[in-house]
Amino acid sequence: MTDLAGLECPALRPLWQAVHERLSSGRPVSRVRIGPLDDEQRGALADLLGLDRLPDVRPSVALARLEEAVADAGGRTLRDVVAGIVGPLDDRAAARQRRKDERDELWAWLEGHETVRSQPALGEWVAQCRNGGLIDGSVPHTRDLLSSALTVLAALPAEAEPLPVFAARMVGGDSHALDDGTRLSSLVLRALSAMHGADMPGNAQQRRGMWARAGVADDELSGTVLAAGLGLVGDGLLSRVTSTCAQAGHAASLTLAQLRDPGDLRLCEGPVHITENPSVMALALRRFGTACPPLVCTSGWPNSAAVHLLRLLADHGAALRYHGDFDGEGIRIAAYVLDKTPAAPWRMTADDYRDALTRTAHGPAAGRLTTAPWDPALTEAMAEHGTAVLEETVADLLLDDLAAAGAPSHRTGGTRL
């Protein structure tokens, strides 16, 4: 530019570089220090500023004085001169704020995601992700990977699929997306560890075990679910097995393979209650025998067979009611059941907990507590008292509820809901 000709001399280049750097910070600037300068550079600066002697080797120059000097030299502003000689000015402070806002938005999105809200135990995983920072320093890359992890978590428990088959179905056809050592696999396993309150698996065998616990394994037989008094009727194997066991006053142990092929399934009317502990089912069978109302037991964390059965019953019109232990693990299991199935809580409120405490003078410690999404006051009450109430302690109340619900008819005719 012709009006910068006198200002573009090489001897003034260190000055403009230093001013460009300071103005690009986005912060208020009153002075800029440059140097070390050689004699030619010091002379050029002295000429620009109208000094009667050479400046120091490392002079500190007031920007107000520079503004006057460049205005006298060509009538331009200092910012225009620096931008014309060195290049466009940045605003690093604004850029840092934008990056911070993008990161804050990312973590707020993760914390507020439906899968995280429905499984409060994942809050620990969210904190780990945030502490680990951005993946490759990129917000979009991090969000894409977290989105894939959340998609996988929402689909668990799987139904005994091999890991490559499950990965291909979940992650755009990529059968290797969840292989050992991938970032996505590590993210999902870390989330499962947080949910179950377990250590991150440290070797291949432990990782396979964690995946199998989540229903990702080529095995339809080892995972079973206990059911009593279901009153299923129809010509399929599932109806015959459940009806035979119900008529004999026994529980049926159902495999995922049996549940996947239910045949012409019909249900008798009435709710289906769900318990966490097999001991409650044993007490129910002892009390009701062949008249046991419909009851399913998850035996702790529900496996693929348990979730499949509950969804199957709900799809056929059953109203599901879940009860579990009043301790940290029990609350996480309940949240999982309520998230993965259409079940509703059954005697699982803060008031129910306080009433149950009257039956347990000295129960075990409540353990690590996370929020109960259906009743946040429940976790607050448990934290206040610090005492767990196991399901067996209130078994008589649960059995009374079953009695009031009534037993189904086990006739082969049945009524489709």
Side-chain angles (χ1 to χ4, degrees):
M1 301 163 108
T2 57
D3 59 347
L4 296 180
L7 301 175
E8 287 184 300
C9 68
L12 288 176
R13 189 75 180 184
L15 170 65
W16 306 133
Q17 290 282 11
V19 173
H20 186 281
E21 174 70 16
R22 291 300 307 278
L23 291 179
S24 292
S25 69
R27 296 171 178 167
V29 180
S30 61
R31 304 186 71 84
V32 60
R33 184 173 293 279
I34 58 176
L37 303 179
D38 59 27
D39 288 346
E40 182 183 2
Q41 293 165 341
R42 293 165 68 197
L45 179 59
D47 291 342
L48 175 65
L49 299 179
L51 304 178
D52 57 5
R53 59 181 178 179
L54 293 179
D56 293 339
V57 174
R58 296 180 181 273
S60 175
V61 182
L63 260 64
R65 181 68 188 91
L66 275 178
E67 287 280 10
E68 296 174 1
V70 298
D72 292 342
R76 305 286 298 275
T77 68
L78 179 60
R79 297 182 72 90
D80 287 343
V81 168
V82 172
I85 295 175
V86 180
L89 291 166
D90 297 324
D91 188 340
R92 291 194 297 274
R96 283 193 297 272
Q97 186 61 49
R98 285 195 300 271
R99 291 193 294 270
K100 180 181 182 301
D101 291 343
E102 290 171 354
R103 292 193 301 272
D104 290 345
E105 181 182 352
L106 169 69
W107 302 127
W109 163 80
L110 180 59
E111 291 172 359
H113 194 279
E114 181 181 359
T115 298
V116 174
R117 290 201 316 270
S118 61
Q119 293 293 312
L122 288 174
E124 177 183 326
W125 174 69
V126 170
Q128 292 172 349
C129 292
R130 185 164 191 163
N131 290 338
L134 299 179
I135 297 169
D136 295 333
S138 167
V139 168
H141 189 184
T142 303
R143 182 160 182 156
D144 287 345
L145 198 60
L146 288 171
S147 294
S148 296
L150 290 164
T151 298
V152 171
L153 291 169
L156 297 175
E159 296 198 354
E161 291 176 285
L163 185 60
V165 175
F166 177 72
R169 184 164 64 85
M170 290 292 101
V171 195
D174 185 357
S175 61
H176 297 292
L178 294 171
D179 285 357
D180 260 5
T182 64
R183 282 173 166 167
L184 181 58
S185 175
S186 297
L187 270 176
V188 174
L189 290 173
R190 195 169 296 281
L192 292 174
S193 299
M195 287 173 55
H196 294 294
D199 292 335
M200 180 72 174
N203 55 49
Q205 181 178 358
Q206 292 172 349
R207 288 188 288 273
R208 285 194 297 272
M210 184 70 77
W211 282 119
R213 188 174 185 179
V216 184
D218 191 13
D219 177 8
E220 294 182 313
L221 301 178
S222 61
T224 61
V225 57
L226 294 174
L230 280 185
L232 306 183
V233 293
D235 297 329
L237 175 62
L238 180 60
S239 297
R240 296 200 300 271
V241 170
T242 56
S243 294
T244 298
C245 290
Q247 291 168 11
H250 287 283
S253 181
L254 305 174
T255 67
L256 185 58
Q258 292 168 335
L259 295 167
R260 279 181 166 172
D261 186 21
D264 181 21
L265 179 66
R266 295 183 295 277
L267 305 180
C268 293
E269 295 182 2
V272 175
H273 289 81
I274 312 158
T275 68
E276 178 187 339
N277 298 286
S279 56
V280 177
M281 178 173 281
L283 292 172
L285 288 169
R286 183 183 304 171
R287 174 169 168 177
F288 300 112
T290 58
C292 185
L295 189 63
V296 173
C297 179
T298 66
S299 301
W301 281 90
N303 57 23
S304 300
V307 172
H308 191 106
L309 174 60
L310 295 176
R311 289 173 176 172
L312 180 66
L313 295 174
D315 288 344
H316 283 74
L320 306 179
R321 303 288 182 266
Y322 179 82
H323 188 278
D325 290 331
F326 283 118
D327 63 3
E329 186 81 349
I331 297 305
R332 287 185 286 279
I333 293 173
Y336 189 80
V337 173
L338 301 184
D339 178 43
K340 300 299 182 180
T341 76
W346 167 31
R347 289 189 180 271
M348 290 291 288
T349 67
D351 288 340
D352 293 320
Y353 169 72
R354 294 187 186 95
D355 290 343
L357 274 179
T358 62
R359 299 163 173 262
T360 306
H362 302 288
R368 180 173 68 97
L369 296 176
T370 48
T371 301
W374 64 94
D375 184 6
L378 172 57
T379 304
E380 295 172 4
M382 294 174 66
E384 176 185 352
H385 294 280
T387 300
V389 178
L390 303 184
E391 200 173 27
E392 294 83 352
T393 307
V394 296
D396 56 338
L397 295 177
L398 303 180
L399 298 188
D400 288 344
D401 288 347
L402 293 179
S409 168
H410 301 307
R411 295 176 298 170
T412 56
T415 301
R416 188 186 299 273
L417 292 182

